[in-house]
Amino acid sequence: MPVKLQKVVQPSGNTDSRMSSAPTSARPQFVTVASGKGGVGKSTLATLIADLWTLAGLSYCPFQVDDQRRLEAMLGARVATIVPDYEAAMRAPRALTGPFAPLYDACAAAPRTGASVLLDVGANRVELAALWARKAELQEDLSAWSMPALVLVPALVESESLRQAAGTIRAFAGALPEATIAFVENQRDGRLSDLKPRSGAVTVWRSELAPLLDGPGRHHLTMPLIEADAWSAYENHALRFIKAMSLAPVEAAALLGEEISEAKIMRSAVTAFVRTMRAELAPLLSGVVAPGDA
């Protein structure tokens, strides 16, 4: 059954005026956030991208192929979920790729609607999503539609997470050879620069991941730790970044069960994180500008 695509509008309530910007005319993009390992900040990053587009006055169509469905929990019913039928695939292989048809349709409509497409790919769906893109010859069509592709691959600074990030990059580099690909170093549990030179994570970084980022169209971004344990409290209440920044301290304190002073500190930490990530992502996200350029 076809998925009805919707434009995302700014949520009710005023966002922080320091973060807002006027509506911007921008070329729509196909943005994929993917990781071969769970718990690395993938859905947090996808939610942030959605909010940055919203702040810029841009429309987008969000999709997820992820058993956890965390993006849906954050953005609501407008997220279209791709559900491959593995049982039916034994008899009809297209049961795996067929559910991606609405995603293709959204990309095809982008030159007309101006809406970017956001795809959140879960840990056990990376190979399938890349296979579909390759079989559908998506890169050829994206080029014809003048729709640039961006693949963001977040990972923590530990061996298995970095190894899975390398595998994810290889999969999408093969499926979307013209895509811009960025490794996003999630510094929640530490930073690569602070690791011991002979640690397992550094070995994986040097031997598997860093070589994949050497060349044009490859980037290494950083996603800093959100101070004061602020984001987890908002995330547990399914509040997006723009909502967290717009809540008055009294409202936030009542909702989160915190003192007003703590709620203000938490909001400040979330706002600082969004500003930092906005600057980090602005060179890669169409229509999003760095805070100093707004």
Side-chain angles (χ1 to χ4, degrees), residues 154-198:
L156 299 173
V157 292
E158 56 92 14
S159 300
E160 184 56 26
S161 184
L162 296 175
R163 186 173 291 109
Q164 290 293 339
T168 300
I169 290 173
R170 284 192 291 267
F172 278 99
L176 299 171
E178 296 179 24
T180 296
I181 297 179
F183 164 67
V184 182
E185 177 189 335
N186 186 344
Q187 298 180 338
R188 185 189 73 197
D189 298 333
R191 301 181 300 180
L192 274 170
S193 60
D194 292 337
L195 297 180
K196 295 180 179 180
R198 296 186 180 180

Side-chain angles (χ1 to χ4, degrees), residues 47 50-51 54 60 74-75 78 231 238-244:
T47 300
D51 282 351
T54 300
Y60 63 94
M74 297 303 294
L75 303 186
R78 64 174 58 90
W231 176 240
L239 294 180
R240 297 166 59 173
F241 288 99
I242 46 179
K243 184 64 175 178

Side-chain angles (χ1 to χ4, degrees), residues 34-50:
S35 173
K37 183 174 174 59
V40 298
K42 175 180 58 62
S43 295
T44 297
L45 183 58
T47 300
L48 175 65
I49 290 168

Side-chain angles (χ1 to χ4, degrees), residues 133-152:
R134 188 167 60 250
K135 285 185 172 292
E137 299 178 338
L138 182 62
Q139 180 63 77
E140 180 179 338
D141 291 327
L142 291 175
S143 298
W145 299 327
S146 298
M147 188 176 185
L150 170 64
V151 180
L152 298 168

Side-chain angles (χ1 to χ4, degrees), residues 57-147:
L58 303 174
S59 60
Y60 63 94
C61 298
F63 290 81
Q64 63 183 0
V65 51
D66 189 347
D67 295 340
Q68 300 297 319
R69 302 194 178 193
R70 289 180 177 171
L71 188 62
E72 181 179 357
M74 297 303 294
L75 303 186
R78 64 174 58 90
V79 178
T81 302
I82 297 169
V83 184
D85 190 336
Y86 284 91
E87 291 186 8
M90 298 295 292
R91 303 181 302 276
R94 285 198 299 174
L96 292 180
T97 56
F100 284 86
L103 175 63
Y104 181 91
D105 292 344
C107 292
R112 172 177 52 83
T113 65
S116 290
V117 176
L118 176 63
L119 175 63
D120 182 358
V121 181
N124 58 349
R125 295 289 186 265
V126 167
E127 292 297 335
L128 176 60
L131 174 66
W132 167 77
R134 188 167 60 250
K135 285 185 172 292
E137 299 178 338
L138 182 62
Q139 180 63 77
E140 180 179 338
D141 291 327
L142 291 175
S143 298
W145 299 327
S146 298
M147 188 176 185

Side-chain angles (χ1 to χ4, degrees), residues 163-266:
R163 186 173 291 109
Q164 290 293 339
T168 300
I169 290 173
R170 284 192 291 267
F172 278 99
L176 299 171
E178 296 179 24
T180 296
I181 297 179
F183 164 67
V184 182
E185 177 189 335
N186 186 344
Q187 298 180 338
R188 185 189 73 197
D189 298 333
R191 301 181 300 180
L192 274 170
S193 60
D194 292 337
L195 297 180
K196 295 180 179 180
R198 296 186 180 180
S199 68
V202 170
T203 298
V204 173
W205 164 254
R206 289 175 176 170
S207 63
E208 297 188 40
L209 193 47
L212 297 174
L213 303 175
D214 183 18
R218 300 294 183 264
H219 301 268
H220 178 183
L221 309 182
T222 57
M223 185 162 71
L225 169 71
I226 304 180
E227 298 295 339
D229 296 326
W231 176 240
S232 59
Y234 290 107
E235 189 177 27
N236 289 340
H237 286 80
L239 294 180
R240 297 166 59 173
F241 288 99
I242 46 179
K243 184 64 175 178
M245 293 187 297
S246 67
L247 276 178
V250 173
E251 293 179 279
L255 178 64
L256 304 177
E258 297 284 351
E259 297 293 335
I260 294 177
S261 60
E262 287 300 308
K264 292 175 70 175
I265 291 171
M266 292 165 68

